[in-house]
């Protein structure tokens, strides 16, 4: 049949113009084509020819500047216009289908209008982004003409009696309204921007963000179409495939999303809450109110989108139901009766009776629903990210106000703060993401049940009843899941704490042969963790069974709703979990002074004491004294905890301005506490602290605000994770001359020269790649470099040898500081420097014993003065002699060794990240790198699965395949059942017999029940198989990892950063424990569901396979590009979180230093930068996920459309049963979800398998050889009984590829001899002591102890029979008893005896619990000197015949050290004692002295013999030590 615009019937009314041209329907339709043709002719030349020259005039970085008023409204109206025009085209085609002629005028004008509408929005977009408003005049004419012509058509319809019952009348009316509104929008643009009809057009500037070249996150600035489809991400994702994404590529955050903006918004909300209620609002309620006030608006928008999307989601089932219904009737469109103006008109009911129309409507509903749903997700997650940034900033500000006692008394640890920042803030973010579920899902359930009741009648209520019955069960299961997860987290934290302590003290563990004790302790906690994980797995499986049971109870129709309930309950449960797990967050958000965080159950008053403390602090004090002092404390009582006794009492001191003040006293007398009290770090119970500021003396509360910057070097060096230069300059401006002077004063140049990148070398976490002396000197260098008037130095010489100390004192403290008239307060045990002090403060037991000049003390406290002289072991009487000496190094000895491997150590930091050369990313060839990035880590996947064992793996695969086969069989059987019922009914209707036999359902219901039961069983089996596999792999990998690490040689720990090893046990183990099993299950399920869905559709309509090929190719490329970008962004998200967490832990550890320097604002600024970097990475990752999901959803919608059209066509021509059509379409509807999950899980799996890869890398570490050549029976029980040591031609090195550190050393030590070893830094003294324990590689010679070559002994036996005291004091959290005797071999009397020898008995007796008193992490509740004494006591407990002291009294004052030396000589008179000396005079009483230099023995004789020799090196050391 030929086509004609007005139809080709003879005598057609369409050509009748007797009543006037405008009364002819075809003419009016032709008139309607005119505006569209006009627009196409006008705009196409501008769009395609003249655009290049115009776009060059744009002076803004991003072509996304949306500045015309009514922009969003225009886009919304255009989308609605396009949909109405599609309906008009469809209506024209359907109504024309019943004619015998083809009337093109019914749908061709609508087609032209559709093209014109698309052109109009493209044209508008280009004009707006290029800022050429005058060209909009074309659109003004177009909307005017379109409105007029459409109004004429509408009026003529009214004249001819066409009413609302006709669909074409309604569509025309809608189009009149839409064109009118678009015309109004266009007029409004002219009114506001004045680009025509006005003399002066309005000038507008682009927003600040778009002028900034660094802002690349464009989601807030792009048009609605790009916003909804994330089109702006295309370029970014394509670029990611060519070049790895880094921080530079993702740029900066827009201003509205920055942490500072959101923090201010949150603070404003807090202030509003504070004003509403009491002065100090408490509890989570006010915090929730503040959060909702600050971030509630976007959540409302997200929830609205979500509810809209959920309601649109019901269009799918309704359309499929309609299609199945119409296909069953042969898709016979009801023939319209009404013919007006020569054409047929149809009603909306007649229009929707066409299956093809329903298929197209279904397609559009899906597109809209998926777009709105993704918009809802995006808005919720963006709000969550903004909230996270605000809360992290709020927490940081709270940390800045924390009392030092919060940290030192174990009330808050750096680990807990990191958990708070890393976990709780993320929990809160995800809660906000899930928030819309709380009200969207009940709506979905109610509408779903009503819809089912409408479709199925009373049988649908069975499903509703099942949901109601299962809801409490699901809630119970979800609660149990929450509890299991919480206990898992607790055990995980405990395990990490133990692992951390084990790794920090690994050297001690190896030397004392305690590896098995700590290994057992970690494994015990791991077992508890695994029990919790098993419970979690069990409840997960039960929740899946509930889902399957609902399938059985209410057939397939209610399963979606059941899933919805489960999600709702889980969301509610998640909220509960969050409220329980984030009280820290809540309290951190309170303004200071707030209730301190209750982390440890400690008996103390809560809020009242803090308020009292605050009121004490705020008490104004007026003084009228001279300004010759810098700091003055009167009648000061200071404590660490409000309820504790005063640590410092009766403090009355005056620090003179511009002079050197020294504070001296025994270990634990309160020297460091006095400095901290002066800085306002301790809690003052009474008295006053005055600072002499330029304006006016102020009391301590104002001191916190007004005191100037104090350069403070703490006793325990605090370093930033930055370069050496950055650590010294410490945020100040760089002055090259001063920097060089400081480097020289601290003797740092030789150390800088040996570092891989000089002073640009990155210092690892806590200065991991530096020796103790280097850390100490960098910390002191920082204090020297600062141009502050006041300098506090807390024991700066403790880790330095004689020459370094002397140089630092002369060049640094005296020359650089005192000559500049700076006020210096120096805490030291080194009495040799007292002659240089202008003012001396002597402390004893937390009080001031005496203060004054050295002459004052000599006159008034002659006994004390004489005592000092004795301690300094001086032969002459003149104390003022200018011989400045210092003690030997503590950790400086490592320098020489580190020179040989520090470069290699730094290069090896992340070696475990690479599995093999073939999989490494270190290749210089970019294409090779990009190829590696695009590859899946199949080897790591194989390693993971092979760890499950040969039984579990086949069970896992088989159960998954069987489960999905049964699921498809259930659906197929339902479809067959439905089809057979329909065909039976139609047969009855055709035969019209009342006596026909009723349809027998029993066979179908029996098979269905069997299949459902089988499905439930297989679901349980699959779930258990997955969880079981995951747990088995997790258990095996952790056990292997722990075994490998604890048995690794010491060299491994010296060259691998602790943080790197700890990450394997924390983040990577957590990934393997909890994430990989879930991702693996989700990936296999979504893949098999996707495959089964496509298989079912292809079975129903084989024609679908033709269309599937291009869709599959598109899908492949989308996932390929997405995986690479997603992995980069995920890694960027993780890597930007690390500096953020490091910054938090650095701040916590250096809180005193930061506050002393007054650098809070600088560190806050750094935090904002780190937070923004992390948030921009998270936002890009979210946008990338949405980009993928939108595209996959659109492909899914195309699958549905193709499946619907092909199945309708096949059904009409090949008599395909309606049941199978419904089955095919139901599966097609779910394809997009499965595709999404498949690609997302593939990307997640790829990232998570990196954990397996890294752990696998560590598993290749070679262990120490613990086996010996001698069996236990060949080793005497009491070996070594005598303690005779023979060293024969011994040469050792730290690694086979390094130079020897000891060369051909030979010595003989008789039983019971006391040997002293001395030498300069790096001479090999410590290597000598380590050789006894086989901690270093002995490649030549041997050591024979009591007739047995130690190389033949098992390592465990050798190390357990010797004792050593290390220079690093290492204490473990637990009790004093555990620290002294973890093997539980000693009685209480033996422990008390050891404590008495170590001068600690009185200290421990004073503690609550005595031997069972608590030691906090790292022994932080004891002073440095006390920790050292505990380590001495630990060695005394062992009572072995050979006793090695490796510079063990480094942090101890001279008096205590002298007592110890005497005790060691008497208590161990019958034992062999090897002492590595830090003060040469301490080994003058030794039987033999060994002087070492560069790994060889230089001198070896009795001390008196060596002293007699004039050219003796030992004699020169003794001379220097006077």
């Amino acid at each position: 049949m030929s086509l004609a615009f007005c139809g080709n019937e003879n005598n057609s009314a369409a050509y009748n113009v007797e009543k006037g041209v405008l009364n002819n329907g075809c003419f009016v339709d032709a008139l309607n084509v005119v505006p569209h043709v006009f627009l196409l002719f006008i705009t196409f030349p501008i769009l395609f020819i003249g655009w290049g020259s115009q776009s060059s005039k744009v002076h803004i970085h991003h072509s996304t500047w949306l500045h015309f008023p009514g922009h969003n409204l225009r886009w919304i109206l255009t989308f609605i216009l396009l949909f109405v025009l599609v309906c008009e085209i469809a209506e024209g085609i359907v109504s024309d289908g019943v004619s015998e002629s083809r009337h093109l005028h019914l749908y061709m004008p609508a087609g032209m209008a559709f093209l014109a509408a698309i052109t109009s929005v493209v044209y508008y977009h280009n004009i707006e982004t290029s800022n050429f408003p005058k060209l909009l005049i074309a659109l003004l004419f177009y909307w005017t003409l379109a409105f007029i012509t459409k109004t004429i058509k509408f009026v003529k319809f009214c004249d001819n009696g066409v009413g609302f019952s006709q669909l074409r009348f309604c569509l025309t009316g809608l189009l009149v309204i839409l064109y009118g509104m678009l015309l109004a929008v266009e007029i409004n643009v002219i009114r506001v921007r004045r680009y025509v009809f006005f003399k002066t057009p309005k000038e507008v500037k682009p927003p600040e963000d778009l002028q900034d070249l660094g802002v690349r996150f464009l989601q807030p600035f792009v048009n609605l179409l790009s916003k909804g489809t994330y089109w702006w991400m295309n370029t970014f994702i394509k670029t990611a495939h060519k070049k790895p994404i880094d921080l530079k590529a993702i740029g900066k955050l827009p201003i509205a999303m920055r942490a500072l903006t959101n923090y201010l918004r949150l603070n404003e909300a807090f202030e509003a809450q504070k004003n509403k209620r009491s002065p100090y609002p408490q509890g989570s309620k006010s915090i929730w109110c503040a959060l909702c006030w600050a971030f509630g608006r976007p959540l409302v928008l997200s929830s609205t989108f979500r509810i809209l999307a959920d309601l649109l989601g019901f269009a799918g089932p309704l359309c499929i139901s309609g299609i199945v219904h119409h296909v069953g009737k042969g898709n016979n469109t009801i023939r319209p009766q009404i013919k007006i103006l020569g054409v047929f008109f149809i009603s909306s009911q007649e229009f929707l009776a066409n299956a093809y129309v329903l298929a197209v409507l279904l397609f559009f509903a899906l597109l809209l629903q998926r777009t709105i749903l993704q918009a809802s997700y995006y808005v919720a997650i963006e709000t969550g990210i903004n909230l996270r940034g605000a809360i992290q900033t709020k927490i940081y500000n709270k940390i800045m106000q924390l009392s030092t006692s919060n940290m030192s008394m174990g009330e808050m640890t750096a680990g807990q703060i990191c958990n708070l920042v890393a976990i709780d803030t993320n929990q809160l973010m995800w809660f906000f993401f899930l928030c819309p579920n709380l009200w969207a899902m009940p709506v979905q359930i109610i509408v779903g049940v009503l819809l089912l009741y409408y479709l199925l009648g009373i049988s649908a209520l069975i499903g509703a009843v099942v949901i109601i019955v299962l809801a409490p069960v699901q809630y119970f299961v979800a609660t149990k899941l929450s509890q299991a997860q919480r206990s898992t987290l607790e055990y995980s934290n405990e395990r990490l704490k133990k692992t951390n302590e084990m790794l920090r003290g690994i050297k001690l563990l190896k030397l004392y042969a305690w590896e098995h004790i700590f290994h057992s302790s970690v494994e015990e906690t791991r077992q508890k963790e695994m029990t919790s994980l098993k419970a979690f797995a069990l409840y997960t499986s039960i929740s899946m069974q509930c889902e399957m049971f609902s399938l059985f109870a209410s057939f397939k129709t209610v399963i979606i709703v059941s899933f919805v309930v489960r999600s709702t309950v889980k969301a509610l449960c998640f909220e509960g979990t969050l409220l329980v797990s984030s009280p820290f967050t809540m309290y951190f958000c309170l303004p200071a002074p707030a209730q301190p965080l209750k982390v440890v159950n400690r008996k103390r008053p809560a809020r009242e004491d803090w308020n009292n403390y605050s009121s004490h602090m705020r008490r104004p004090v007026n003084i009228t004294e001279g300004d010759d002092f810098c700091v003055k404390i009167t009648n000061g009582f200071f404590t660490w905890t409000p309820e504790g006794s005063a640590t410092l009492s009766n403090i009355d001191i005056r620090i003179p301005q511009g002079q050197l003040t020294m504070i001296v006293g025994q270990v634990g007398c309160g020297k460091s506490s006095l400095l901290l009290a002066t800085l306002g770090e301790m809690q003052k119970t009474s008295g006053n602290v005055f600072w002499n500021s330029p304006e006016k003396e102020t009391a301590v509360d104002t001191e916190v605000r007004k005191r100037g910057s104090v350069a403070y070097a703490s006793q325990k060096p605090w370093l930033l994770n930055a370069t050496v230069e950055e650590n010294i300059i410490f945020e100040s401006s760089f002055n090259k001359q001063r920097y060089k002077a400081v480097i020289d004063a601290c003797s740092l140049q030789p150390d800088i020269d040996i570092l891989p990148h000089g002073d640009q070398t990155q210092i690892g976490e806590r200065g991991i790649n530096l020796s103790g002396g280097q850390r100490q000197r960098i910390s002191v260098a920082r204090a020297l470099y600062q141009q502050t008037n006041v300098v506090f130095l807390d024991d700066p010489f403790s880790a330095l040898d004689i020459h370094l100390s002397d140089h630092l004192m002369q060049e640094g403290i005296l020359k650089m500081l005192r000559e500049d008239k700076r006020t210096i307060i120096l805490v030291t045990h080194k009495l040799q420097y007292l002659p240089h002090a202008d003012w001396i403060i002597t402390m004893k037991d937390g009080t001031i014993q005496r203060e004054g000049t050295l002459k004052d003390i000599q006159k008034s406290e002659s006994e004390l003065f004489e005592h000092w002289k004795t301690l300094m072991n001086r032969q002459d009487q003149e104390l003022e002699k200018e011989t400045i000496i210092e003690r030997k190094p503590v950790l400086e000895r490592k320098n020489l060794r580190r020179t040989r491997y520090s470069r290699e150590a730094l290069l090896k930091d992340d070696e475990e990240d690479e599995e093999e050369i073939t999989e490494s990313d270190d290749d210089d060839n970019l294409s090779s790198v990009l190829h590696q990035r695009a590859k899946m880590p199949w080897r790591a996947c194989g390693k993971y699965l092979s760890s499950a064992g040969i039984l579990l793996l086949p069970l896992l695969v088989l159960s998954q395949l069987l489960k999905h086969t049964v699921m498809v069989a259930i659906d197929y059987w339902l479809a067959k059942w439905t089809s057979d019922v329909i065909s039976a009914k139609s047969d009855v209707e055709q035969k019209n017999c009342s006596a026909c036999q009723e349809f027998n359902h029993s066979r179908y219901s029996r098979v269905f029940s069997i299949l459902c039961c089988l499905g439930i069983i297989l679901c349980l089996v699959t779930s258990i198989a997955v969880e079981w596999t995951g747990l088995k792999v997790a258990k095996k990998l952790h056990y292997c990892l722990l075994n490998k690490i604890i048995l690794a040689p010491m060299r491994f720990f010296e060259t691998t950063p602790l943080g790197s090893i700890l990450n394997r046990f924390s983040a990577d183990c957590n990934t393997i424990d909890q994430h990989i099993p879930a991702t693996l299950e989700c990936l296999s399920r979504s893949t098999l569901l996707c495959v089964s869905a496509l298989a079912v559709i292809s079975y129903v309509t084989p024609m679908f396979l033709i269309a599937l090929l291009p869709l599959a190719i598109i899908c492949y490329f989308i996932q390929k590009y997405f995986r690479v970008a997603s992995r980069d962004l995920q890694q960027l998200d993780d890597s930007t979180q690390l500096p953020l967490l490091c910054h938090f832990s650095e701040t916590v550890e250096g809180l005193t230093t930061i506050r002393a320097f007054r650098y809070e604002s600088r560190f806050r600024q750094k935090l904002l930068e780190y937070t923004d970097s992390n948030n921009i990475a998270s936002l890009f990752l979210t946008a990338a996920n949405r980009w993928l999901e939108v595209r996959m959803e659109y492909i899914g919608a195309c699958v549905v459309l193709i499946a619907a059209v092909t199945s309708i066509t096949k059904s009409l021509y090949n008599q395909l049963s309606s049941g199978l059509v419904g089955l095919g379409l139901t599966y097609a509807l779910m394809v997009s979800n499965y595709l999404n999950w498949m690609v997302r899980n593939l990307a997640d799996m790829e990232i998570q398998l990196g954990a397996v890869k890294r752990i696998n890398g560590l598993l290749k570490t070679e262990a120490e050889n613990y086996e010996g050549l001698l069996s236990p029976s060949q080793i005497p029980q009491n070996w070594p009984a005598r303690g005779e040591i023979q060293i024969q031609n011994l040469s050792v090195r730290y690694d086979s590829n390094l130079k020897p550190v000891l060369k051909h050393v030979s010595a003989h030590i008789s039983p019971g001899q006391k040997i002293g070893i001395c030498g300069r830094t790096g001479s090999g003294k410590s290597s000598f002591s380590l050789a006894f324990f086989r901690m270093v590689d002995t490649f030549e010679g041997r050591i024979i102890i009591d007739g047995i070559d130690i190389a033949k002994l098992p390592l465990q036996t050798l190390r357990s029979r010797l004792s050593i005291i290390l220079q690093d004091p290492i204490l473990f959290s637990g009790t004093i008893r555990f620290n002294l005797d973890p093997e539980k071999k000693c009685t209480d009397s033996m422990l008390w005896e050891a404590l008495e020898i170590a001068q600690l008995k009185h200290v421990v007796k004073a503690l609550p619990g005595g031997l069972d008193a608590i030691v906090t992490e790292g022994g932080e509740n004891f002073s440095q000197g006390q920790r050292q004494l505990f380590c001495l006591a630990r060695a005394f407990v062992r009572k072995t015949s050979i006793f090695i002291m490796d510079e063990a009294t480094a942090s101890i004052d001279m008096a205590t050290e002298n007592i110890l030396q005497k005790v060691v000589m008497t208590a161990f008179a019958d034992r062999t004692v090897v002492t590595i000396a830090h003060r040469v005079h301490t080994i003058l009483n030794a039987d033999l002295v060994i002087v070492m230099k560069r790994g060889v023995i230089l001198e070896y004789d009795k001390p008196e013999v060596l002293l007699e020799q004039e050219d003796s090196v030992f004699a020169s050391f003794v001379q220097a030590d006077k």
Side-chain angles (χ1 to χ4, degrees), residues 490 593 763 1082:
E490 284 166 11
I763 294 177
C1082 222

Side-chain angles (χ1 to χ4, degrees), residues 294-308:
F295 299 100
R297 199 172 293 170
L299 270 190
V300 172
L301 179 66
S302 173
S303 302
T304 309
F305 281 157
R306 181 62 193 272
I307 291 167
L308 273 175

Side-chain angles (χ1 to χ4, degrees), residues 522-758:
V522 173
E523 268 303 309
E524 184 188 333
T525 313
R526 177 66 173 169
Q527 284 303 324
K528 292 176 185 173
E529 190 184 358
M530 292 307 288
T531 308
S532 288
L533 282 169
K534 281 174 187 169
F536 186 78
L538 177 69
Y539 289 120
T540 305
S541 302
I542 291 170
S543 71
M544 286 184 177
Q545 293 321 297
C546 293
E547 188 181 313
M548 283 304 292
F549 182 75
S550 63
L551 161 77
F552 177 69
S554 56
F555 296 148
K556 192 67 178 175
T557 48
V558 193
I559 215 167
I560 297 160
V561 189
S562 158
F563 175 73
V564 164
V565 169
R566 189 157 76 89
S567 306
T568 312
V569 173
K570 278 201 172 179
L572 286 165
C573 179
F574 184 90
E575 182 190 11
T577 311
L578 179 78
L579 290 172
V580 174
S581 69
S582 59
F584 299 148
T585 311
M586 303 316 170
Y587 282 107
F588 256 30
C589 291
L590 291 176
Q595 183 174 343
L597 306 182
K598 296 284 180 177
V599 190
V600 183
N601 183 13
R602 300 174 68 234
K603 294 178 183 174
R604 56 173 292 177
R607 207 179 158 70
E608 295 73 27
D609 282 354
W610 280 70
N611 287 340
N612 294 341
Y613 162 54
S614 308
S615 61
H616 281 314
M617 284 179 71
R618 288 190 173 82
R619 193 167 63 209
V621 180
N622 297 313
I623 63 157
T624 53
E625 290 211 13
D627 60 353
D628 60 335
F629 66 87
C630 172
V631 188
K632 182 178 178 182
I633 301 177
T634 57
N635 194 29
F637 284 78
F638 300 91
T639 178
W640 287 116
T641 53
E643 85 288 353
S645 58
T647 309
L648 300 175
S649 315
N650 293 317
I651 305 296
D652 279 289
I653 59 163
R654 192 177 125 272
I655 308 291
Q657 187 95 34
Q659 295 184 350
L660 169 59
T661 303
M662 287 195 193
I663 303 175
V664 292
Q666 285 195 341
V667 169
C669 68
K671 300 184 296 298
S672 298
S673 298
L674 182 61
L675 284 192
L676 294 174
T678 312
L679 288 169
E681 292 293 326
M682 287 183 75
Q683 297 182 15
K684 177 167 62 65
T685 52
S686 67
N688 298 301
V689 179
F690 304 106
W691 282 82
N692 190 1
S693 62
E695 303 90 11
K696 192 179 176 183
E697 293 84 27
T698 49
V700 75
D701 64 320
T702 353
E703 172 269 322
V704 172
R705 294 189 296 274
K706 296 279 179 84
R707 163 175 70 72
S709 176
V710 172
Y712 172 65
S714 57
Q715 187 176 17
K716 185 181 176 185
W718 172 70
L719 299 181
L720 295 167
N721 196 352
T723 64
V724 175
E725 184 188 290
E726 285 166 348
N727 267 283
I728 293 171
I729 291 169
F730 197 53
E731 307 285 325
S732 301
S733 56
F734 184 72
N735 179 329
K736 193 173 182 181
Q737 193 178 348
R738 183 167 185 80
Y739 179 72
K740 282 193 169 181
V742 168
I743 293 285
D744 176 60
C746 297
S747 312
L748 276 168
Q749 197 56 52
D751 302 282
I752 287 171
D753 292 341
I754 63 169
L755 289 170
H757 306 293

Side-chain angles (χ1 to χ4, degrees), residues 95 194 213 272 286 438 481 520 528 595 715 723 769 866 894-895 925 978 1040 1043 1074 1141 1292 1322:
S95 61
R194 305 176 170 217
L213 299 174
S286 63
L438 295 176
L481 272 170
S520 307
K528 292 176 185 173
Q595 183 174 343
Q715 187 176 17
T723 64
N769 49 346
E866 288 302 318
K894 292 185 186 169
N895 268 3
N925 187 338
T978 311
C1040 294
N1043 255 359
Q1074 297 191 16
L1141 297 180
V1292 302

Side-chain angles (χ1 to χ4, degrees), residues 342-370:
V343 288
F344 287 105
F345 282 72
I346 59 170
S347 67
S348 54
Q349 189 184 353
E350 291 161 348
F351 178 66
L352 292 173
N354 188 293
Y356 288 109
V357 168
L358 286 175
V360 174
L361 280 177
L362 173 59
F363 174 69
F364 279 111
L366 280 175
L367 288 182
L368 186 60
Q369 189 248 343
R370 303 305 192 191

